[in-house]
Amino acid sequence: MKNQQIARIFDEIAEFLELRGENVFRIRAYRRAAQNIDGLPKDVGSMSDDEIEAVPGIGKDLAGKIHEYLTTGRISKHEELMKTIPGGVIDLLRIPGMGPKKAMMLYEKLGVKGTEELEKAIREGRLAGLPGIQKKTEENILRGISALEGGKERRSLGRVLPLAEEIVRQMQENAPVEQIIVAGSIRRMKETVRDIDILTTSKRPEEVMEAFVKLPHVSRVLAQGPTKSSVLTEEGVQVDLRVVEDGSFGAALAYFTGSKEHNIRLREMAVRKRLKINEYGIFEEPGEKKIGGRKETDVYRALGLPYIPPELREDAGEIDAALGGKLPRLLELSDIRGDLHVHTRASDGSHDLDTVVKAAIGHGYEYIAITDHTKGLGVAHGLDEERLTEEIRLIDEANTKLKGFRILKGTEIDIRSDGRLDLADYVLTGLDIVVASIHSGFNQSSEQITRRLLSAIRHPCVSVIGHPTGRLIGERGAYAVDMDAVLREAAKHGVAMEINAYPLRLDLNDRHVRLAKEYAVPLVISTDTHVRNQFDFMTYGVSVARRGWLEKKDVLNTLPYEKLIKKLRSCRTGKARHREKKG
Ligand code: DGT
Ligand code: CA
Ligand code: ZN
C-alpha cells in the first residue's frame, strides 16, 4: 500500500511547515489529508483521480501531489523541504514515528547525525530531559531503529493485512502461481503480527521467486532460493514466500498457519494414532505411506476431528471442544446487519448524515446508529444538549423518508472523570442507544477507573460501553480497569460491551470477549466510522469476535431492527419529550 508512505510524507510536510512557522491552516490541511489517506481501506494506487479527489480533505492540489507520488515515487514539495535540513537529520527521518521536528531537535541538542549515533545517545542516557522526550519516547525510537534493521517488529493486523493481500494480488498478476494464500498469524487474524507468511503452488517455482523479489514493495532481498524466499518491504515488514507441491499444500497450510502450540497438540494426537503429520503430508507410521496432505481438512480428518477455523487455533481449548463436538459455530461477517457506532460531521466525522446513511445502505446494512461525541470532548467538537436535540430532529426526519433502513438516534457520551455522564438525562430519554466511553484520565488508578465504568453501567440510560479498555495498539496500553468486575456488572444490568473494530483499537480484545461470553454479557461489534469507507473495518471486529469464540446469537447487531431495539438497553420514553422538558 502506498497509502502509508503518502500519509507519512504529508505528515512530514506539515512538520516542515510547522518548523518554519507557516500558515496553520495549511499545516492542518496536510495533517488531515494524511489521516484520511492512512484510514483508506483501499490502495490509492488502485483509485481513479476522481476517487482520490473525493477523499475528504483532498482537493485538486493534494490530489496532484498524490498523483505525482504514484507516477514518480516522490513529491517535489517534500523534496524541496528536505533540502532545507541538514543531511544528518534525513537519516533520522527513516525511523518509524520520527518526524522532522523531533529529528531537528535531536540534531541540534545532541549533534547526532544518524540512527547509529542516536541509538548510542539513547543507551548513554543523553536524551533524558530533552523537550518532549520521555522514557516511552526513547523506547519507541529504539524499537523503530531495530524495526528498520530487522523487519521483525510486531505490528497491528490492520497495517499488515492490507499489505499481505496486495502482495498476493500482485503475485497473481505477475507470476505463474496456482493456489496462493496468506498463512501464519495473519490467517489466524491475530491482533498483531510479526511477518507475512505466504504459501503457493506452481509448476514454475523459479519464475515465481524471480517475480517475488522484484515486486514493487520490496526494499531488500534477504534470501532467494528455489522454493523459499524472504524479502523486506519498504514498510520494513518481512515477507516469506514458499512454493510447495500440490499434494502437500493442505499439510503445509495447516503447518504454517499455526499456531505452533496448536500444531504441537495435533502432532501429539497423531503419534497416538500411529500417524505422522508434518508440512509435507500425513503418513502412516510403519512404512511412511502418505495418506493425505492435498487439502487442509485431510489433517483434521485423519485425527478424527472436524475442521477447526484458523482463528481458534491457539491451543485454547479448541481441540477438546472439537473432540467433544462442542466447537462454536463462529459468527460470520455476513451475519452483521448494522453498525452501532458511527460519527458524522456534527462531531469529528467527515460527512453529513445523508452521506453516512447512503454509505451504510451501500454496504448492505439495515440500520446504523449515529453516535457523535458529546460536549466534554471539545477537540472533537462534541455536541451539547441543544445540538444533540437538533441532531435527533434531523434523524427523525430522515427516518420518515427511508424504506427498509433505520437510523438509530444515539450518542457516544463521554464518561467524565468522576463517572458521571456528559449530558443531562432529558436528552438521553429521547435516544435509542447510548454508547458510553472514556476519553480522558487514562492514568487513573485501577480503583478509580473501574468505579468510573461501573457507575456508567449503572446509569439506566447506558446501552453499550464503547472501546472498554481505551488501548491503541502499539501506541497506548489499556487503562488499569478491572475487566472482570466491569463484565460482571454489565451482565447484571444487561449493558452491552463493544468490540470496537477500528484496527488501531480492537477493544475489547479476544480474551475479554471470551470472558464476556462466559458471563453472558451481550456484545456489539462497531467500527467507530469517521470516514465512510471505514465501514469496511467491520471485518476486523468480526475477527476479534471469532477469536473470542462468538456465535451469531452472542452479538446484538446480527438482529433485525425490531428485535435489536427490544434487546438494547435504553431509557427511551417513547415520545421525544425532551423539548418540552428543556429549561
Ligand atoms: P508471528 O509471525 O509471530 O505473528 O506468528 P506466526 O504464528 O505467524 O509465527 P511464525 O511466522 O514464526 O510461523 C508461522 C507458523 O509456522 C507458525 O504459526 C507455526 C509454524 N511454525 C513455525 N516454527 C515452528 C516450529 O518450530 N514448530 C512448529 N510446530 N511449527 C512452527
Ligand atoms: Ca508469521
Ligand atoms: Zn470514542
Side-chain angles (χ1 to χ4, degrees):
M1 297 262 277
K2 299 284 180 220
N3 304 18
Q4 270 167 262
Q5 280 112 289
I6 295 173
R8 169 139 198 219
I9 292 177
F10 280 180
D11 265 330
E12 288 191 0
I13 292 178
E15 284 208 13
F16 279 124
L17 297 177
E18 211 173 7
L19 272 174
R20 295 154 58 120
E22 292 198 20
N23 184 309
V24 285
F25 293 104
R26 197 83 199 113
I27 295 169
R28 218 175 281 158
Y30 275 106
R31 288 242 155 82
R32 182 162 128 82
Q35 199 181 355
N36 290 342
I37 292 169
D38 201 24
L40 291 173
K42 205 166 138 189
D43 188 2
V44 280
S46 67
M47 289 165 70
S48 69
D49 287 351
D50 284 348
E51 275 182 292
I52 292 175
E53 262 186 60
V55 175
I58 308 287
K60 272 231 154 11
D61 175 40
L62 293 183
K65 292 198 165 58
I66 293 173
H67 190 78
E68 184 189 354
Y69 183 84
L70 293 174
T71 46
T72 67
R74 314 174 307 127
I75 293 178
S76 44
K77 169 96 182 169
H78 181 245
E79 307 250 306
E80 277 164 33
L81 290 164
M82 290 280 266
K83 280 192 203 124
T84 65
I85 57 167
V89 179
I90 309 258
D91 192 35
L92 298 181
L93 284 174
R94 290 167 49 236
I95 304 170
M98 175 75 65
K101 241 166 110 178
K102 206 186 293 161
M104 273 303 277
M105 188 274 287
L106 292 170
Y107 177 79
E108 279 168 3
K109 301 263 180 198
L110 300 172
V112 290
K113 294 192 279 301
T115 52
E116 249 170 69
E117 286 183 29
L118 178 58
E119 189 172 352
K120 191 154 163 272
I122 294 176
R123 306 249 181 247
E124 289 168 357
R126 284 162 55 210
L127 266 66
L130 292 180
I133 302 285
Q134 286 151 351
K135 195 91 214 110
K136 192 83 157 274
T137 328
E138 296 184 17
E139 284 163 18
N140 287 342
I141 295 175
L142 285 179
R143 253 196 294 139
I145 294 174
S146 73
L148 266 184
E149 291 159 357
K152 286 287 190 179
E153 166 90 339
R154 292 202 82 80
R155 295 160 200 257
S156 73
L157 181 64
R159 288 248 181 257
V160 184
L161 178 62
L163 175 65
E165 286 174 343
E166 191 183 305
I167 290 172
V168 165
R169 216 167 26 243
Q170 288 175 345
M171 286 302 289
Q172 283 167 327
E173 281 166 19
N174 300 311
V177 296
E178 285 156 15
Q179 305 185 71
I180 181 162
I181 188 168
V182 179
S185 49
I186 298 182
R187 183 158 181 250
R188 303 197 311 279
M189 298 296 273
K190 208 172 150 165
E191 65 184 34
T192 61
V193 301
R194 193 178 45 112
D195 60 3
I196 300 176
D197 307 287
I198 303 176
L199 286 184
T200 182
T201 59
S202 173
K203 296 202 175 57
R204 303 188 328 257
E206 273 100 36
E207 281 173 54
V208 171
M209 290 307 171
E210 271 308 306
F212 177 60
V213 299
K214 291 209 182 79
L215 288 181
H217 284 284
V218 172
S219 69
R220 191 139 54 95
V221 179
L222 301 173
Q224 185 179 353
T227 59
K228 187 194 162 189
S229 296
S230 295
V231 299
L232 211 56
T233 70
E234 286 165 347
E235 297 83 355
V237 183
Q238 182 170 330
V239 189
D240 296 346
L241 178 77
R242 287 182 174 81
V243 182
V244 301
E245 301 281 330
D246 247 332
S248 298
F249 186 74
L253 182 55
Y255 183 90
F256 290 109
T257 295
S259 65
K260 191 171 158 188
E261 293 72 21
H262 174 87
N263 288 350
I264 290 172
R265 289 289 310 274
L266 293 185
R267 281 204 304 272
E268 285 167 2
M269 283 180 75
V271 169
R272 272 179 262 130
K273 288 186 183 298
R274 299 178 63 78
L275 296 171
K276 187 167 103 188
I277 293 178
N278 57 26
E279 63 264 52
Y280 303 106
I282 306 139
F283 306 88
E284 279 177 349
E285 229 1 325
E288 297 264 304
K289 186 180 162 231
K290 186 166 176 176
I291 58 165
R294 183 172 295 271
K295 294 213 148 44
E296 196 178 33
T297 44
D298 293 350
V299 173
Y300 293 96
R301 194 175 318 120
L303 298 173
L305 294 173
Y307 179 77
I308 300 180
E311 293 93 330
L312 296 184
R313 300 182 195 170
E314 297 292 349
D315 189 21
E318 73 278 8
I319 293 176
D320 287 337
L323 278 169
K326 292 205 167 70
L327 276 180
R329 231 180 104 178
L330 293 183
L331 174 78
E332 309 264 352
L333 182 59
S334 58
D335 294 329
I336 301 291
R337 293 185 189 241
D339 199 323
L340 298 177
H341 187 158
V342 178
H343 295 276
T344 73
R345 193 141 73 191
S347 63
D348 60 349
S350 290
H351 316 289
D352 58 17
L353 179 64
D354 191 48
T355 307
V356 168
V357 167
K358 284 209 179 86
I361 293 173
H363 211 80
Y365 282 153
E366 296 170 21
Y367 51 80
I368 53 169
I370 297 297
T371 55
D372 277 310
H373 289 290
T374 56
K375 60 190 176 192
L377 218 58
V379 286
H381 198 43
L383 281 60
D384 59 11
E385 284 81 354
E386 200 174 328
R387 289 181 58 220
L388 180 54
T389 303
E390 172 59 16
E391 187 168 58
I392 291 172
R393 196 188 60 74
L394 277 177
I395 294 175
D396 279 335
E397 198 179 293
N399 269 330
T400 61
K401 294 181 197 140
L402 289 165
K403 281 210 181 68
F405 186 90
R406 293 288 294 193
I407 312 165
L408 278 75
K409 291 169 280 186
T411 177
E412 180 183 8
I413 200 164
D414 193 45
I415 305 173
R416 294 180 184 165
S417 60
D418 60 2
R420 281 185 307 154
L421 299 183
D422 197 28
L423 292 176
D425 289 352
Y426 78 85
V427 207
L428 304 185
T429 57
L431 296 175
D432 303 309
I433 177 169
V434 172
V435 179
S437 317
I438 285 181
H439 294 107
S440 60
F442 300 110
N443 293 327
Q444 285 181 337
S445 70
S446 174
E447 214 185 10
Q448 277 175 310
I449 208 130
T450 304
R451 195 160 0 107
R452 202 169 157 192
L453 280 167
L454 294 182
S455 60
I457 290 169
R458 288 176 193 136
H459 189 292
C461 298
V462 168
S463 325
V464 179
I465 297 295
H467 44 74
T469 78
R471 65 106 170 243
L472 297 175
I473 297 174
E475 288 181 17
R476 181 174 80 203
Y479 34 68
V481 58
D482 176 351
M483 189 49 72
D484 200 79
V486 166
L487 293 177
R488 282 179 196 281
E489 196 70 11
K492 196 161 117 194
H493 294 275
V495 169
M497 285 285 140
E498 176 180 89
I499 298 174
N500 190 298
Y502 205 85
L504 197 60
R505 292 191 180 273
L506 304 186
D507 179 11
L508 296 179
N509 68 22
D510 45 13
R511 275 182 311 108
H512 290 145
V513 166
R514 209 165 159 194
L515 195 61
K517 176 173 175 157
E518 202 176 294
Y519 291 169
V521 177
L523 288 134
V524 301
I525 310 175
S526 309
T527 59
D528 208 345
T529 283
H530 286 73
V531 183
R532 63 188 152 191
N533 45 33
Q534 292 175 342
F535 281 120
D536 290 338
F537 290 156
M538 187 56 80
T539 171
Y540 293 101
V542 168
S543 297
V544 174
R546 289 169 63 88
R547 288 179 58 85
W549 292 50
L550 294 194
E551 306 192 334
K552 185 177 175 184
K553 66 172 167 50
D554 301 317
V555 178
L556 295 181
N557 50 324
T558 61
L559 294 169
Y561 173 77
E562 296 296 337
K563 286 196 175 142
L564 169 78
I565 215 77
K566 287 200 187 94
K567 285 266 172 107
L568 258 186
R569 180 190 193 229
S570 85
C571 60
R572 214 170 37 238
T573 52
K575 293 164 236 125
R577 291 192 303 157
H578 42 274
R579 256 178 285 175
E580 295 103 76
K581 277 199 178 174
K582 204 180 132 189

